[in-house]
Structures are given as C-alpha cells and as structure tokens.
Amino acid sequence: MKIASWNVNSLNVRLPHLEQWLTTFAPDVVGIQETKMEDHKFPDAVLAGLGYRSVFAGQKTYNGVALLSREPAQDVQIGIPGFEDEQKRAIAGTVNGVRIINLYVVNGQDVGTDKYEYKLRWLEAVHAWVADELKKYPELIVMGDFNIAPEGRDTHDPLVWNENHILTSTAERGALHKLQQLGLHDAFRLHNDEDGVFSWWDYRAAGFRRNLGLRIDLTLVSDALKARAVAAGIDREPRTWDRPSDHAPAWVQLG
DNA sequence: ATGGTGGCCATGCCA
C-alpha cells in the first residue's frame, strides 16, 4: 500500500497534475493540502473516475485538505477535535485498517508573530489529538505539509535555516520532536540518510533549478507500523512539470 | 538589505 502526501497549492490549477500523478504513481491513499477550494467545487466525480474516493474540507483562497483512497475511508474526522479553528487544515480517516491523519500545518510567517504563536498552539492541539488517536488506532500515519524541516540536513543551508528562522526554529522542531516522542517515525529517514533531499522549493529565485529547498512534507509512521514501512521517498517529478506546485509528494510504502 | 514568484482575485494577503 502506497500512501502519499502532496501540497498541491490550489487543486483548481493542479487537478491535471494530480490526475497525471495518480495515473502514473498509482498511490493507494493520498493526503492533499492547500486545495483552496470550497467543498461544493471539489472534483470528486473526476477522481472517482480514476478509482479514488474523496473526503475533503475546504475553503476559498486558503488552506483546504482532502483524503483520497482506493478503498473508502471510515470514521472520517474533519478538524482537530476540541480545537476551534476556522481554517481547514486537518482531516483523518481509516483506510484498510490504518488510521491516517492528513495535516496542513500552519506556516507561521515569522518567529514571534501572531501566526507563529498560532502555529505552536495548533501543534499542541495536534499532539493531544494524535496521543488520543494512537490509543484507539495503534497503526497510525500522520502525514502532511508540516512546515517544519526536522534537521539541518533537511535544508539547503542550515546557516540560513537556523534555530531562529521560521520552519526551522527551536520551538517548531521541539513541537515536531514531541509529536514523534509519542512513537512516530519519519519514514523517509528509515530508508534515506542523505542530505539535500527536499520536498519544497520556493518559486522565487529559481529555487527548484538550483535545488534550494527544504524537506517539510513528512510521512510519520507509528511504532506498530514501523516494520511495515518498507520504502519511503519524495517524488520530484511533478515539480518538473509545467506550472507546478511548489511542493513534491512525499510517500511511504507499507508492505 | 531587499525582493524575487505564484494563487486568489481584483488588492493586498499569504506562502
């Protein structure tokens, strides 16, 4: 079972890319972020034609998440339970017995801003939620656009992307670490040791051409799933296509 | 030190 996470940065613009990628990469489950699309506009019929069921929670202009799966998702949860949030950033479901949480983590703008504080509050709420979910579903995947690069080797320049910089700051990495302390493993790092492998490249300054990127899109697998995570990676190909998203899909394969 | 590209939507905001 191949499970992937992809920030498409507008599903309206990227639907052809998604269709192409579903056809060639053939994932079994996909978590989508930044659909930027209200629910009544979601192309569930098009995706059904490709063999995928969809559940989704969207809004105009910003945010928006969806979960696509070949088998229908059960026990679908939209938003973080008990956490009031107008922004559509979280959706979860159970597919083939595996609980899957798909997140579009708050970007945070800059360290010390209101958005940064919201990001840290939001991650606290995610921690409580995941802790609760793990009790019910030991076989759990938490994936999405985390907007956090776990380590220096997940950035093109650790001197720039340092402990005071957004996406790499001490508090952000601390929140990710605390989440992983629940028993979640970065699937990519179970199988890849190299640095310079990224999932996001800024549109500005020819970031992709120069490979100036960050690895901020993660698939985390629970203790109970760790042995089944037989491969993981990032598929750079859709980032090479015309008018691409600024993110590439991150994936994990369960054996 | 600043802005750079892109999406949404018509202007700045967000990333």
Side-chain angles (χ1 to χ4, degrees):
Chain A
M1 181 157 71
K2 278 197 289 192
I3 298 164
S5 167
W6 192 10
N7 180 325
V8 297
N9 185 19
S10 167
L11 185 52
N12 202 34
V13 174
R14 238 64 71 181
L15 181 57
H17 303 66
L18 179 60
E19 292 181 77
Q20 175 68 30
W21 185 72
L22 290 174
T23 303
T24 54
F25 192 79
D28 296 287
V29 182
V30 188
I32 302 284
Q33 305 92 31
E34 282 208 270
T35 59
K36 300 184 176 179
M37 178 180 280
E38 292 177 296
D39 290 347
H40 70 273
K41 293 186 173 177
F42 196 90
D44 46 348
V46 173
L47 297 171
L50 295 173
Y52 291 89
R53 309 286 198 102
S54 305
V55 291
F56 40 85
Q59 62 187 95
K60 207 189 292 188
T61 308
Y62 305 115
N63 312 311
V65 286
L67 200 56
L68 317 184
S69 53
R70 292 196 180 277
E71 300 297 324
Q74 312 288 338
D75 303 315
V76 173
Q77 166 71 36
I78 287 168
I80 305 169
F83 184 78
E84 284 297 321
D85 194 357
E86 291 178 0
Q87 304 190 9
K88 304 298 188 189
R89 296 179 171 276
I91 191 166
T94 305
V95 182
N96 298 331
V98 178
R99 188 65 170 171
I100 297 180
I101 296 180
N102 175 38
L103 303 177
Y104 174 45
V105 175
V106 178
N107 174 284
Q109 192 176 46
D110 277 309
V111 172
T113 62
D114 287 350
K115 292 190 180 79
Y116 182 76
E117 296 305 320
Y118 167 50
K119 181 177 195 171
L120 297 178
R121 279 203 317 278
W122 197 88
L123 287 166
E124 281 284 340
V126 165
H127 181 274
W129 180 28
V130 170
D132 201 45
E133 291 281 275
L134 271 169
K135 292 175 199 160
K136 287 182 276 190
Y137 308 98
E139 298 195 329
L140 177 75
I141 289 180
V142 184
M143 66 181 181
D145 175 358
F146 277 74
N147 270 318
I148 302 170
E151 300 178 85
R153 61 180 172 161
D154 301 309
T155 77
H156 66 87
D157 186 347
L159 296 180
V160 170
W161 298 95
N162 61 32
E163 69 276 7
N164 301 311
H165 201 290
I166 194 65
L167 312 188
T168 53
S169 73
T170 302
E172 290 166 88
R173 282 176 167 164
L176 176 60
H177 182 73
K178 187 178 164 192
L179 190 65
Q180 294 197 239
Q181 287 297 109
L182 293 170
L184 294 169
H185 309 271
D186 181 352
F188 180 83
R189 285 298 174 208
L190 296 176
H191 298 284
N192 305 274
D193 267 333
E194 68 266 46
D195 55 16
V197 180
F198 307 130
S199 66
W200 170 84
W201 301 261
D202 202 315
Y203 286 125
R204 296 167 284 193
F208 184 66
R209 182 177 57 75
R210 301 194 288 157
N211 197 33
L212 305 181
L214 303 176
R215 192 173 67 88
I216 55 178
D217 299 272
L218 309 176
T219 59
L220 308 180
V221 297
S222 65
D223 285 332
L225 280 180
K226 186 181 176 187
R228 282 181 63 194
V230 294
I234 293 160
D235 184 8
R236 289 172 53 103
E237 206 204 319
R239 190 62 174 80
T240 69
W241 296 345
D242 191 48
R243 209 181 176 191
S245 167
D246 44 353
H247 294 254
W251 58 272
V252 58
Q253 178 155 16
L254 298 184

